Amino acid sequence: MEKRQKIQYELAFEGEGRGEAPRAPEEGIEATTVKLGTESQANTDKLIEEVCEKENVKEALKRVKANAGAAGVDGMSVKELPEYLRENWPRLKEQLLSGTYRPQPVRRVEIPKSGGGTRKLGIPTVVDRFVQQAVLQVLQERWDPTFSEYSYGFRPGRSAHQAVEKAQEYIQQGYDWVVDLDLEKFFDRVNHDVLMSRVARRVSDKRMLKLIRGFLNSGAMENGLVGSTDEGTPQGGPLSPLLSNLLLDDLDRELEQRGHRFVRYADDCAPRAHLNIECGAVQEMKEGPSKPTYRRRLQTAPSCVG
């Protein structure tokens, strides 16, 4: 019985063949507004075909099942996902290839933060998580090697332990002042147009651009009501960390250009400075201000260290 189900599952992912994908509709598709060189967008016009490849979707299902997690707005559990895909994968694949797939709203929940307060999460449906995971696997393979070596959060083969080790290395080199940069509510305030402009620099497949924009604008259900999402990349979906790293890569390059020693883990960043560097923020550190003043001062003047 198990063997027969496995065969049915694999056949469902085979799809209808590998002919030409249906042409994506023009209306509502993200436009690339910046003229870019061919190097940055090389071989990115058929990314959705890669997303729908049999091995990629099998790996995506495996990852979603391993991560488990709560149901989204439709109430479907992770355990129900394999059976759903056995019956609906051909239709879902056609929607992805034609650019007509529409993500559902995320389910908004709040969880307590270790330092007090709460953090908002957006829980996508398990089908949307599956699609996001399949997209993530294709994009991360291309994008991750281009990110800064000082970025450690949510990247393959990198960890918080490595970030700490790098910070300790800076201390041993004599960089004793630590400036803690914490981008307040970063995931909630990401500008969609700015983010999509960064994606469009690397992606020429308009169906992929439309799909990512769809995830960003899918809306959120809270207390039974669905509201629009005009900004932010909701934490809770597989794709959000990659999109955040893409946007924050601009910060990494700016810090590198200024010659700072730093490590970044997601939206937390800690540049270091030698003791002989003087500026208003460092002086406040010496005088021992209260923590709120300390953090506010450093957030508004992070460029004073080198």
Side-chain angles (χ1 to χ4, degrees):
M1 186 67 169
E2 291 182 0
K3 183 177 181 181
R4 188 175 74 177
Q5 288 181 341
K6 181 178 180 182
I7 293 173
Q8 289 175 338
Y9 159 69
E10 291 184 350
L11 286 175
F13 273 161
E14 285 288 354
E16 300 294 330
R18 303 192 182 207
E20 241 349 87
R23 186 171 181 176
E26 294 298 325
E27 184 178 356
I29 291 182
E30 194 74 30
T32 306
T33 58
V34 182
K35 295 286 186 180
L36 299 169
T38 56
E39 296 176 353
S40 61
Q41 292 188 333
N43 302 318
T44 65
D45 58 339
K46 290 187 178 294
L47 291 178
I48 293 295
E49 279 77 6
E50 294 184 33
V51 168
C52 294
E53 284 287 340
K54 176 184 174 182
E55 293 304 318
N56 188 60
V57 293
K58 286 175 65 176
E59 180 63 22
L61 177 58
K62 178 182 176 182
R63 294 287 183 89
V64 172
K65 289 171 63 178
N67 291 334
V73 296
D74 62 356
M76 184 188 298
S77 69
V78 172
K79 290 183 179 179
E80 297 174 275
L81 181 60
E83 181 62 31
Y84 175 88
L85 292 176
R86 273 193 287 271
E87 298 177 2
N88 294 279
W89 171 242
R91 177 180 59 84
L92 178 59
K93 178 180 179 181
E94 199 227 328
Q95 290 177 348
L96 290 169
L97 290 173
S98 64
T100 59
Y101 180 82
R102 297 189 64 177
Q104 296 190 60
V106 299
R107 182 166 66 88
R108 184 79 75 189
V109 298
E110 292 188 358
I111 61 172
K113 296 171 65 174
S114 57
T118 60
R119 182 191 308 277
K120 286 189 176 183
L121 295 183
I123 302 177
T125 65
V126 292
V127 176
D128 282 342
R129 292 211 293 272
F130 163 74
V131 174
Q132 284 195 34
Q133 180 63 42
V135 170
L136 170 68
Q137 291 164 185
V138 170
L139 297 183
Q140 191 166 55
E141 183 178 359
R142 284 175 162 79
W143 295 359
D144 192 78
T146 70
F147 291 157
S148 170
E149 62 179 297
Y150 305 109
S151 168
Y152 293 88
F154 309 115
R155 297 183 60 187
R158 288 175 170 256
S159 67
H161 292 290
Q162 292 175 329
V164 171
E165 289 174 0
K166 190 65 177 178
Q168 291 174 335
E169 180 183 320
Y170 290 146
I171 292 174
Q172 292 172 358
Q173 294 173 1
Y175 293 86
D176 297 333
W177 288 106
V178 180
V179 180
D180 179 13
L181 304 179
D182 187 352
L183 304 178
E184 185 178 2
K185 297 186 181 299
F186 168 76
F187 288 92
D188 298 331
R189 296 175 176 174
V190 169
N191 183 290
H192 289 174
D193 291 335
V194 173
L195 173 57
M196 289 306 302
S197 73
R198 301 302 186 272
V199 177
R201 291 176 184 177
R202 297 168 179 253
V203 171
S204 59
D205 190 332
K206 292 183 179 180
R207 298 163 300 170
M208 177 66 82
L209 294 172
K210 182 182 178 183
L211 180 60
I212 294 175
R213 172 73 79 165
F215 281 121
L216 294 174
N217 293 340
S218 62
M221 177 179 286
E222 193 169 8
N223 299 323
L225 299 175
V226 176
S228 62
T229 47
D230 301 322
E231 62 180 359
T233 57
Q235 292 176 274
L239 197 54
S240 179
L242 178 65
L243 295 177
S244 300
N245 273 332
L246 174 64
L247 190 58
L248 288 170
D249 194 56
D250 286 355
L251 170 63
D252 297 338
R253 301 308 177 185
E254 178 65 24
L255 291 173
E256 288 177 12
Q257 186 176 356
R258 297 189 183 194
H260 297 319
R261 306 296 191 274
F262 70 97
V263 292
R264 180 176 65 78
Y265 195 93
D267 58 336
D268 292 314
C269 182
R272 264 90 177 145
H274 282 303
L275 282 172
N276 59 355
I277 300 295
E278 293 290 345
C279 71
V282 171
Q283 186 61 38
E284 281 192 2
M285 292 171 69
K286 290 181 177 180
E287 293 171 356
S290 63
K291 185 175 181 181
T293 304
Y294 160 76
R295 292 182 67 85
R296 183 170 60 251
R297 174 62 175 165
L298 295 185
Q299 285 175 344
T300 57
S303 61
C304 66
V305 296

